[in-house]
């Protein structure tokens, strides 16, 4: 027998797409009928809109969030022999980007209350080979950029932010996207601002960095068949750019719905001591709503049995993946989080009433 679909799906992408389907059909038809598919007016329009949204001077659209990170590091001059400090609790792409850029990812532990990069751990990880700090605004909440910036300034390091989960987040009144030397974005379909396929971008205030990024994404070229840099092919295509312009117009509203859900979760679950802390340094984008429970796997099974779909972000820290293969015990807070975090259903498709169903089920477990 087929099992019934979950009563409360973790993220209902189909519902999110259906909500704006008319606009998406019009936008994609415009591109198809226009007959221009790479590096054209749709990309320029989206780049201008996203830069403005982020309060940044420049936006360069690229092929994915991973490429945004790699190209940002590349454009900042990071390469072979360079160490880049990354959080020990993050999606593996943060670490892979450093490796792909030719550098060495050096982990630093996170604040166990928030899961965000701990500036004290970063300061302790700096060596003479350190060239950059790469914080992640994990789950939609900005890392402590001011503290990280002062460490970067003290050691003449570049600050590149991984904002793949933080569309619409702010930090001390400033939008994420204009805080670091370069900020990398992903528009993977499941992100708060998602395309209908892969996509990414880098925002920056630095015109020289933006110019290098434009060359690097397009074979190192600014003039056809003249190649100044050994670049790559990683461009946000016209169809995805047109889709993103449509989705961007709904981002604020969708984030508000996420916020309403997160507020209900917090109201109900904070008394049980379950949610990760909101550091209170700005607007949380609530890409994920994460609780921490010592019996995480049992709680997840309990919720699944009640039709509530949850996910774990992330079950194995990057340093414990075979790809990096570092010893256990090096980053105790990150390792404990990997064993205990659980992401509850959240997204513009859900309502606070759905959050109540989830909270009732959690209370029944506790
Ligand atoms: C999604 C994500 C990425 C990678 O983005 P892609 O577009 O999937 O390549 C990088 N970092 C974090 C924190 C992410 O969540």
């Amino acid at each position: 027998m087929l099992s019934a679909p979950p009563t409360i799906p973790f993220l209902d992408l189909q519902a999110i797409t259906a909500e704006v389907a008319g606009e998406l059909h019009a936008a994609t038809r415009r591109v198809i009928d226009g007959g221009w598919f790479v590096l054209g007016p749709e990309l320029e329009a989206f780049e201008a809109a996203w830069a403005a949204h982020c309060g940044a001077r420049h936006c360069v659209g690229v092929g994915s969030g991973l490429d945004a990170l790699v190209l940002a590091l590349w454009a900042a001059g990071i390469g072979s022999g360079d160490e880049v400090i990354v959080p020990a609790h993050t999606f593996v792409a943060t670490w892979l980007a450093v490796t792909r850029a030719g550098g060495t990812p050096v982990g630093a532990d996170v604040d166990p209350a928030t899961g965000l990069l701990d500036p004290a751990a970063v300061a302790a990880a700096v060596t003479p080979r350190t060239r950059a700090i790469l914080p992640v605004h994990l789950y939609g909440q900005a890392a402590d950029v001011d503290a990280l910036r002062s460490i970067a300034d003290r050691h003449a390091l570049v600050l590149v932010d991984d904002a793949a989960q933080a569309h619409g987040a702010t930090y001390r009144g400033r939008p994420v996207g204009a805080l670091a030397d370069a900020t990398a974005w992903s528009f993977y379909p499941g992100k708060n601002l998602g395309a209908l396929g892969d996509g990414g971008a880098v925002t920056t205030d630095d015109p020289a960095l933006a110019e290098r990024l434009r060359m690097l994404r397009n074979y190192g070229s600014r003039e056809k068949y003249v190649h100044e840099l050994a670049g790559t092919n990683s461009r946000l295509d016209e169809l995805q750019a047109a889709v993103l312009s449509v989705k961007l117009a709904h981002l604020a509203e969708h984030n508000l719905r996420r916020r309403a859900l997160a507020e209900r979760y917090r109201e109900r679950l904070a008394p049980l001591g379950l949610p990760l802390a909101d550091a209170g340094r700005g607007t949380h984008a609530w890409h994920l709503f994460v609780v921490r429970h010592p019996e995480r796997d049992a709680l997840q099974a309990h919720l699944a049995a009640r039709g509530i779909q949850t996910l774990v972000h992330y079950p194995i820290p990057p340093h414990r993946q075979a790809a990096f293969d570092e010893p256990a015990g090096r980053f105790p807070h990150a390792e404990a989080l990997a064993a205990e975090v659980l992401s509850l259903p959240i997204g513009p498709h859900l309502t606070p009433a759905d959050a109540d169903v989830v909270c009732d089920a959690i209370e029944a477990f506790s």
Side-chain angles (χ1 to χ4, degrees):
M1 229 177 83
L2 285 172
S3 60
T7 318
I8 302 190
F10 180 76
L11 178 71
D12 189 348
L13 260 182
Q14 243 175 327
I16 295 166
T17 307
E19 192 185 321
V20 295
E23 290 175 74
L24 292 175
H25 288 146
T28 51
R29 172 177 287 275
R30 183 175 72 231
V31 176
I32 292 164
D33 292 348
W36 189 272
F37 303 114
V38 174
L39 295 179
E42 298 289 346
L43 177 61
E44 270 178 41
F46 174 71
E47 286 177 338
W50 187 239
H53 187 276
C54 297
R57 290 210 177 84
H58 308 277
C59 170
V60 181
V62 299
S64 71
L66 174 62
D67 279 358
L69 287 163
V70 173
L71 294 176
L73 293 169
W74 241 1
I78 281 127
S80 174
D82 296 336
E83 292 180 359
V84 177
I85 298 174
V86 289
H89 180 61
T90 182
F91 181 53
V92 73
T94 316
W95 285 53
L96 280 176
V98 178
T99 308
R100 286 274 319 280
T104 305
V106 173
D109 213 348
V110 295
D111 178 344
T114 60
L116 298 170
L117 189 56
D118 174 7
V122 171
V126 173
T127 77
R129 299 165 83 88
T130 307
R131 290 287 315 283
I133 306 173
L134 207 180
V136 180
H137 305 312
L138 194 71
Y139 303 148
Q141 174 167 222
D144 193 355
V145 176
D146 285 347
L148 296 169
R149 169 63 79 186
S150 80
I151 297 167
D153 287 349
R154 202 174 326 134
H155 300 279
L157 309 176
V158 177
L159 190 62
V160 176
D161 286 1
D162 180 341
Q165 301 187 0
H167 312 81
T170 67
Y171 172 83
R172 298 196 163 126
R174 290 172 280 157
V176 163
L179 305 169
D181 299 304
T183 302
W185 301 94
S186 164
F187 305 120
Y188 180 77
K191 309 294 188 184
N192 285 33
L193 179 59
L196 300 181
D198 278 312
V202 181
T203 50
T204 179
D205 278 343
D206 180 343
L209 192 89
E211 182 63 13
R212 278 198 296 285
L213 283 163
R214 285 184 206 287
M215 287 197 273
L216 287 170
R217 74 172 171 186
N218 190 34
Y219 306 110
S221 167
R222 65 182 129 191
E223 190 186 329
K224 208 168 172 69
Y225 304 129
V226 178
H227 303 273
E228 297 167 56
L229 302 170
T232 187
N233 173 3
S234 182
R235 304 169 299 207
L236 183 65
D237 68 63
E238 291 288 283
L239 276 169
Q240 298 307 338
V243 162
L244 286 165
S245 291
V246 168
K247 300 288 286 291
L248 176 53
H250 297 272
L251 175 64
E253 160 67 18
H254 284 182
N255 275 0
L256 278 177
R257 287 190 227 155
R258 287 175 180 274
R259 161 164 305 277
L261 212 70
E263 277 170 3
R264 180 64 56 89
Y265 276 141
R266 290 178 63 78
E267 235 169 74
R268 301 263 324 251
L269 301 177
L272 306 179
L274 295 180
L276 288 198
D278 178 344
R281 292 186 291 247
T283 312
H284 200 311
W286 297 114
H287 175 59
L288 297 171
F289 190 94
V290 177
V291 295
R292 190 171 175 166
H293 199 288
E295 292 166 67
R296 188 264 316 278
D297 293 343
L299 174 59
Q300 183 170 37
H302 167 89
L303 294 175
R306 282 151 189 79
I308 297 165
Q309 189 187 18
T310 59
L311 295 173
V312 173
H313 300 92
Y314 297 89
I316 305 170
H319 71 285
R320 296 296 296 141
Q321 300 284 352
F324 295 100
D325 200 26
E326 294 182 19
R330 186 168 281 183
F331 307 113
H333 294 314
E335 288 171 30
L337 282 164
E340 296 184 358
V341 288
L342 187 67
S343 305
L344 305 183
I346 193 164
H349 62 298
L350 294 174
T351 65
D354 296 313
D356 279 328
V357 173
V358 177
C359 292
D360 290 345
I362 292 174
E363 275 171 5
F365 179 79
S366 303

